[in-house]
Amino acid sequence: MNLSSKPIVQVENIGMSFDATRALDNVDFDFYPGEIMALVGANGAGKSTLIKIICGYHSGYEGRILIDGREALISCPKDAYDFGIQTVHQIINQGVIQSMTVAENLALEELLSPDQPMFYDYKGIRKRAAEIAALMDLDYLDLDAPVFTIPQSDRQMISIARALASDPKLLILDEPTSSISEKEAERLFVTLKKLRDGGVSIVYVSHRLHEITRLADRVGVLRDGKNAGLLEKPFSVKNIVHSMVGDINHEPVKKEDVKADLSSVKFEARGIIVEEGGKPVDIKVHEGEILGITGLIGAGKSELAQVFFGINRPYSGKMFLKGNPYEPADIKEAIRHGVFMIPEDRSNNAVFPNFNIRQNIVAPFLDNFSNGLSIMNTGKERQEARRMIDSMTIKCESEEASIDSLSGGNQQKVVVARWLMVEPQLIILDEPFQGVDVKSRNEIGKYLRENIGRSGAIIIATDIDEVVDVADRVVVFNSGMIVGEQIAGEINKDKLIHWTAQAPEEILSSE
Amino acid sequence: MANVKVREFSIKWGFLIVMGVLFISFSILQPAFYSAGNLFNVLLSVCIFGTMTLGETFVLIIDGMDLSIGSTAAITVMISAYSMVVLQLSGVAAIIIVLLLGAAIGLFISFLIVKVKIPDLLATLGMMFLVQGLQLIPSGGLSIGTGAVLGNGKVAQGHFDEGFKYLGQGRVFKVIPIPVLIMIVIALLVYVILSRTKYGRIFYAIGGNPEAARLVGVNVNKYKVIAYVSSSVIASLAGILLAARVGRGDVGSQGTLLMDAIAAALIGYAVLGVRKPNPFGTILGAIFIGMLMNGLTMLSMQYFWQDFIKGCVLVAALAFTFGLSKKR
C-alpha cells in the first residue's frame, strides 16, 4: 500500500435522510489505489446507504464525491460505472439474470452494449465469457448452463468476475462471503490481493471481522450514520468492535437485580438440532429469568427461536415447558401453550399498517375480545389497549390513532404490548431494538424486567449491549452452537465480543 | 391548511356528494326517475352483480382478485336450467346442486392458489375460461328452455320450478323485489362478518400484512380458502337469481357481470375515503352504477354508451381514491 499516493475516490460530508431518519451524517472517507479498505458498522450504521450513494443507486444525497481529485456527479449507476466504480451487491440474485446462461451473464456488458451487432453473436459472447471466467478461475463452469441451475456461490463468483472484467478503479464488495464456501472465499481473497497489488482500490464490507483482520489494510467504521474511526494496521477484532459499538455508557443488569428462580426451569431445549447437519443446542430458561442470546448475523439465533415458536420443526431434540414435553406443530399451538415471539423486522413481520393502535395490540388474542358469535367487543378492546398504552408509556394521540403516526420506538412498544397483554410462559424477543431509539429501548427493557413476573424470556440481539442491558444471563452463539455463557454481575464484554467473532474451534480450544 | 381540509373533506364525502347531485339532477330532469317503481328498478338492475361483488369483497380484502365470478354465475344459470328442464329435478334440488358446484369451484381455485401456488389473478383468469367453457358442454352449446331440442335429438320436457322463479321475479308486498331483498340480506350479513366479527378482523389483517398475520397464529391459507369459496358460492347465488329472473338457461347470460361487479367493488373504495374493500362502499358502488345507467337511459342515452360511461366512472373513482389520498 502506498498512502503517499493520491486518493482515487473521496467522499466528503456525505449526508442522507429518509423521511425522519438520518441515515448518514457528514461522512468522509478517502479510498486509495492499491489498498483494501474494510467498511464496518452495526446494522443500520449506514454502510449500505453509503455504498448505494457511491454506486449511483441513491441520488439526492448531500456532500460531494471526488474522483481523481475532481468533483464527480454520480446520479445513476451508469455514471458510477463510467467513472470505473464497480459494485458487487450483497443480494446475489440481483447481480445475475437467472434466465440467461453463464456465458451471457459473464459477458453481460458486451451483450447489452450498443455496439453489438443486430444479430446475436453467440461465438463472440462465449469467447469473451471464457476470458472473464479465467480471471476468477471459473473454468469449471458450464458456459451454456442457465444461471438458475447453478449454486448460489457460483452465481456470486460470476458477479465478482464480471465486476473485475471491466478493470475497475474502485471495486466495492458488499458481504461477498456471506453465501460462499470457505474454499471459495480463499480464492476470492487471493484474487482481491492480486487486484490490490495491481493498483485497484477495494472497499470490502463484511460482518466477519476475522476476515477483515486478515485482508484489510485499513478499516473505516460507521456508527449511527457517522464516522466512528479509521483504524490502521495492526487491528484486532476487539478494537474494531469497540469502534463499532462505542464507549459503553449503558448499565448492565446488576447481580442483585436478578430475580430469576433458578430452582424451577420454565423452558428447556435439550439437544435441539435445527437442521440436518447442525449441532445440538441445550438451553434452559428459569422462572422470572431473562436469557440473552447474542452472536453475529447468521450464527443461528433466529433459526432456533423459530423452532421454539413452532414456525419450524427441529431436525431432532426435545423441548419442555414447565417439565412437560412441548412439541408445537404450528404457531397457533405455541401461542396456546403460552410461548410468544416478537419477530425481528417489525415492519415486515409484525405491524399491520392498515390497523390502528388498538387493532394492532389485540391482534393475537381476538378470542379474548369476542363473544360466542365471534362479534368483537370494541369497548373491551379499547380498554385493554388503553391499559397497555399507559403501562408501556406509548406516545400516541389515542388508541384509535393509526400505527403510521407513531415513531419507530413507539411502534415497537405496540408490538411488544401485543404479547405482554396476556401473561406468557415464555416470551421470545428477536432483535427487539432494531430501528428503536435509545429512550424507547431503555423503556422497553425496563418494562420487561419489571413485568417478567414468573414468565421466562429470551432476548436475541446481535448487538451485545442490547442483550447485556436486559438479560440475567447471556449465551453466545457462533456458527450454530453455544460457545460461552456469562451471568449478570460477571459480564465481561471483551470476552463476549471475542466469542461472537472468533472461529468457534479457537474459542473451544482456548477455554 | 385550508387546502388540506378541502382535500380531506372531498376524500371523505366527495363520492357521496357526487352521488347525491346525480340523484337530484336526474329527478329534476326526468321526474319519472324519482318514483318508487323506478327506484326499485334501479335496485333490481344492480342486484345480480351487486350480490356477486359482495363475495368478491372477501377476496379483495385479503389482497386477492377473483376473475372467475362471472363464469361461475353463468354456469349456475346453465346447470340450474339443466337440472330442472332436462333432468326434471325440483327447484330445491337445483339450488343445492348449483351451490355445491359453486363451493367446488371455489375449492378448486383455492387449491390452485394455495397448493399449486399460481398467482391469484392468473389462477382465476384460467378458471374464468375453464368454467365459461364448461357451462356449454352439458347442453351441447345450446340454451336450455322447455321444449328445447338437445344435442342428442331429445326434447327437454321439464320446466322451471315456480318457487325457483319466484326468487327472481317475486315481490314482497307486491313492491320489494325478492332478489333486491336477498342482496340486502347478504349485504348486511357480509357487513356484520367483515366489520364486527373476529373473522373480519383476520381477513383485514391478512390483507394488511400476511406475514404478520401468520406470526400472530393465523392460518393464512385457511382464510384464503374461505375467501375464495365465499366468493364462488355467492357468485352461484347471484347466478340462481339470474336464472330465476330469465326463467331459462341462456348461453350468453354472463354479459358484463364480472366487469360490473369488480367496478362496483373498486368504486366502493372511494366511499367515505376508506380506501379499502368494504361491503357498504361496494353496495353503494353498485347502486351508483345502476342509478347512472338508469338515469342516463331515461334521458335517452343510447345503449352502446353504457360500457364507456361505466369505464369513465371507474377510472375517475380510482383516480380519486389513489391520486388524492397519495398526497396525504
Side-chain angles (χ1 to χ4, degrees):
Chain A
M1 180 181 56
N2 180 9
L3 274 185
S4 60
S5 64
K6 286 191 180 139
I8 193 153
V9 175
Q10 294 162 277
V11 297
E12 286 185 357
N13 307 325
I14 295 285
M16 180 101 197
S17 298
F18 299 102
D19 297 325
T21 318
R22 190 80 178 144
L24 281 179
D25 192 28
N26 223 1
V27 169
D28 296 296
F29 279 112
D30 295 342
F31 304 108
Y32 290 89
E35 74 159 353
I36 297 177
M37 165 109 151
L39 193 59
V40 300
N43 291 321
K47 296 174 311 235
S48 302
T49 310
L50 180 64
I51 288 170
K52 283 181 175 167
I53 287 173
I54 298 174
C55 73
Y57 186 85
H58 287 317
S59 51
Y61 53 89
E62 303 145 27
R64 47 185 209 152
I65 299 175
L66 304 177
I67 293 174
D68 291 328
R70 266 188 308 248
E71 182 163 1
L73 275 176
I74 298 181
S75 57
C76 66
K78 174 93 169 48
D79 293 345
Y81 189 88
D82 290 343
F83 282 119
I85 298 171
Q86 279 285 350
T87 311
V88 178
H89 291 283
Q90 187 177 4
I91 299 171
I92 294 171
N93 289 330
Q94 288 179 357
V96 290
I97 299 175
Q98 298 193 42
S99 56
M100 286 185 162
T101 65
V102 170
E104 287 165 337
N105 269 284
L106 284 167
L108 197 60
E109 190 195 340
E110 284 72 21
L111 193 67
L112 301 181
S113 127
D115 304 331
Q116 270 286 307
M118 195 161 86
F119 294 100
Y120 182 59
D121 174 16
Y122 174 76
K123 275 192 187 153
I125 291 295
R126 218 168 174 289
K127 182 161 160 284
R128 177 71 183 134
E131 285 168 23
I132 295 170
L135 288 174
M136 286 287 292
D137 301 321
L138 296 178
D139 311 318
Y140 62 92
L141 286 178
D142 174 6
L143 288 179
D144 293 321
V147 161
F148 67 81
T149 62
I150 66 172
Q152 295 283 328
S153 55
D154 284 338
R155 298 181 198 183
Q156 175 81 322
M157 300 308 264
I158 288 175
S159 299
I160 296 171
R162 194 174 61 216
L164 297 180
S166 61
D167 295 326
K169 288 184 197 161
L170 181 72
L171 176 65
I172 304 172
L173 298 149
D174 192 0
E175 297 279 353
T177 53
S178 58
S179 54
I180 62 178
S181 72
E182 238 163 83
K183 208 173 126 213
E184 288 162 326
E186 288 304 324
R187 212 164 69 213
L188 176 66
F189 296 162
V190 171
T191 315
L192 292 180
K193 284 178 179 160
K194 212 161 69 190
L195 283 169
R196 174 199 47 201
D197 298 340
V200 178
S201 175
I202 296 170
V203 178
Y204 190 88
V205 180
S206 180
H207 279 288
R208 300 187 177 179
L209 301 184
H210 50 276
E211 279 177 2
I212 285 173
T213 52
R214 283 182 48 200
L215 192 65
D217 299 307
R218 286 194 303 157
V219 176
V221 186
L222 281 173
R223 189 196 322 151
D224 300 330
K226 298 191 179 82
N227 281 92
L230 199 57
L231 311 178
E232 306 277 348
K233 264 183 170 169
F235 21 66
S236 64
V237 168
K238 188 181 154 189
N239 55 31
I240 297 175
V241 172
H242 185 259
S243 307
M244 280 167 65
V245 179
D247 285 328
I248 293 115
N249 53 357
H250 307 276
E251 278 183 60
V253 175
K254 295 192 191 78
K255 194 161 194 174
E256 57 268 29
D257 291 337
V258 174
K259 294 187 200 111
D261 177 3
L262 295 179
S263 63
S264 77
V265 176
K266 192 77 169 184
F267 171 81
E268 183 178 1
R270 221 180 275 165
I272 289 286
I273 296 178
V274 174
E275 268 182 341
E276 192 174 355
K279 290 148 205 151
V281 173
D282 295 305
I283 278 182
K284 269 184 199 166
V285 183
H286 300 93
E287 265 188 21
E289 184 181 43
I290 301 177
L291 172 70
I293 301 182
T294 187
L296 296 181
I297 291 175
K301 310 179 300 279
S302 297
E303 291 76 1
L304 193 69
Q306 285 167 4
V307 167
F308 295 170
F309 191 49
I311 296 174
N312 297 318
R313 303 292 282 272
Y315 174 69
S316 70
K318 289 198 168 76
M319 294 186 278
F320 301 89
L321 200 60
K322 292 192 290 181
N324 302 317
Y326 164 69
E327 296 170 348
D330 54 25
I331 296 170
K332 209 171 180 165
E333 202 180 322
I335 294 172
R336 207 164 47 231
H337 279 101
V339 175
F340 306 155
M341 185 175 89
I342 296 160
E344 64 178 332
D345 191 353
R346 175 178 67 242
S347 60
N348 281 320
N349 296 331
V351 167
F352 296 104
N354 54 336
F355 279 2
N356 62 27
I357 297 171
R358 160 178 60 86
Q359 291 165 326
N360 264 289
I361 289 180
V362 303
F365 300 106
L366 298 179
D367 284 337
N368 297 4
F369 299 95
S370 54
N371 63 16
L373 287 169
S374 299
I375 306 280
M376 296 296 293
N377 180 344
T378 315
K380 199 174 159 196
E381 283 182 52
R382 295 182 76 143
Q383 203 183 336
E384 262 310 276
R386 197 66 250 167
R387 179 176 75 83
M388 291 313 294
I389 286 170
D390 290 342
S391 73
M392 291 205 65
T393 58
I394 297 171
K395 264 199 203 134
C396 61
E397 262 174 48
S398 83
E399 69 277 9
E400 300 298 299
S402 92
I403 189 87
D404 290 338
S405 67
L406 302 185
S407 70
N410 280 301
Q411 287 190 17
Q412 187 69 14
K413 283 184 184 174
V414 168
V415 171
V416 174
R418 173 188 289 175
W419 292 110
L420 291 179
M421 196 173 60
V422 172
E423 188 186 297
Q425 295 291 336
L426 176 72
I427 181 155
I428 304 163
L429 301 96
D430 192 359
E431 296 290 354
F433 303 128
Q434 265 176 1
V436 171
D437 59 286
V438 179
K439 187 161 168 279
S440 303
R441 173 180 143 183
N442 287 338
E443 285 168 354
I444 293 173
K446 199 164 153 241
Y447 185 86
L448 192 67
R449 287 205 64 78
E450 284 169 0
N451 292 279
I452 187 71
R454 297 176 65 79
S455 308
I458 295 178
I459 176 162
I460 297 173
T462 305
D463 186 330
I464 290 171
D465 284 322
E466 292 179 0
V467 172
V468 168
D469 288 357
V470 184
D472 299 315
R473 187 158 57 95
V474 177
V475 297
V476 176
F477 251 65
N478 188 332
S479 310
M481 58 179 164
I482 293 176
V483 293
E485 176 177 324
Q486 292 180 350
I487 57 170
E490 295 170 17
I491 299 286
N492 175 343
K493 271 189 209 164
D494 289 345
K495 209 164 192 181
L496 289 177
I497 290 166
H498 269 99
W499 283 344
T500 62
Q502 268 176 343
E505 307 80 51
E506 286 172 39
I507 303 166
L508 297 174
S509 61
S510 70
E511 290 297 300
Chain B
M1 215 38 221
N3 257 337
V4 174
K5 274 193 182 154
V6 168
R7 195 190 304 139
E8 300 236 320
F9 180 83
S10 49
I11 287 172
K12 184 144 196 203
W13 299 107
F15 178 84
L16 292 176
I17 290 172
V18 170
M19 201 163 166
V21 168
L22 268 179
F23 183 83
I24 294 167
S25 313
F26 285 142
S27 306
I28 294 169
L29 293 171
Q30 179 52 269
F33 174 83
Y34 180 68
S35 69
N38 187 53
L39 294 182
F40 276 119
N41 276 340
V42 170
L43 293 178
L44 202 52
S45 72
V46 303
C47 67
I48 288 171
F49 76 84
T51 304
M52 282 166 62
T53 189
L54 288 167
E56 182 83 34
T57 308
F58 284 94
V59 175
L60 290 172
I61 284 176
I62 60 162
D63 204 19
M65 176 71 100
D66 187 351
L67 298 178
S68 69
I69 50 173
S71 300
T72 303
I75 200 171
T76 302
V77 173
M78 292 306 282
I79 297 300
S80 48
Y82 192 83
S83 305
M84 289 180 285
V85 178
V86 179
L87 302 177
Q88 304 189 20
L89 298 174
S90 71
V92 175
I95 289 171
I96 291 172
I97 288 171
V98 293
L99 288 181
L100 286 176
L101 178 68
I105 292 172
L107 279 174
F108 189 64
I109 291 172
S110 317
F111 169 77
L112 293 177
I113 291 170
V114 171
K115 289 283 176 210
V116 190
K117 304 213 183 298
I118 305 176
D120 45 28
L121 206 63
L122 303 180
T124 57
L125 182 74
M127 283 302 286
M128 172 181 103
F129 233 126
L130 189 156
V131 173
Q132 195 177 319
L134 184 63
Q135 57 144 341
L136 299 174
I137 296 176
S139 67
L142 303 171
S143 295
I144 303 171
T146 307
V149 183
L150 298 172
N152 56 12
K154 281 189 186 162
V155 176
Q157 299 291 344
H159 56 84
F160 265 64
D161 185 287
E162 283 310 311
F164 187 94
K165 280 200 282 192
Y166 184 74
L167 288 177
Q169 299 167 6
R171 289 187 181 230
V172 175
F173 310 128
K174 298 189 174 160
V175 187
I176 309 165
I178 296 281
V180 170
L181 208 57
I182 290 177
M183 175 181 77
I184 291 170
V185 169
I186 293 176
L188 287 174
L189 209 63
V190 172
Y191 170 78
V192 169
I193 291 172
L194 290 177
S195 306
R196 290 277 168 265
T197 69
K198 68 169 185 179
Y199 302 111
R201 193 68 68 78
I202 293 171
F203 280 120
Y204 279 112
I206 293 171
N209 188 341
E211 186 57 20
R214 189 174 80 93
L215 290 174
V216 297
V218 172
N219 183 342
V220 174
N221 284 342
K222 185 175 101 182
Y223 282 88
K224 278 192 179 169
V225 174
I226 295 175
Y228 281 98
V229 170
S230 305
S231 172
S232 296
V233 169
I234 294 177
S236 278
L237 193 66
I240 292 173
L241 301 182
L242 182 57
R245 182 190 297 173
V246 289
R248 49 182 275 125
D250 263 324
V251 284
S253 59
Q254 70 188 55
T256 60
L257 281 180
L258 167 70
M259 287 313 183
D260 290 348
I262 287 180
L266 294 179
I267 291 170
Y269 285 22
V271 177
L272 294 179
V274 291
R275 285 185 303 163
K276 63 180 182 188
N278 67 100
F280 177 67
T282 293
I283 282 295
L284 277 185
I287 294 174
F288 185 88
I289 294 176
M291 185 181 83
L292 192 66
M293 291 304 113
N294 180 288
L296 290 175
T297 307
M298 283 188 148
L299 299 175
S300 42
M301 173 192 73
Q302 283 176 294
Y303 73 93
F304 53 79
W305 278 81
Q306 285 198 1
D307 283 354
F308 174 72
I309 306 254
K310 285 185 216 167
C312 291
V313 170
L314 177 56
V315 171
L318 290 174
F320 182 79
T321 306
F322 293 96
L324 271 184
S325 53
K326 187 182 63 193
K327 290 170 203 129
R328 268 216 266 208

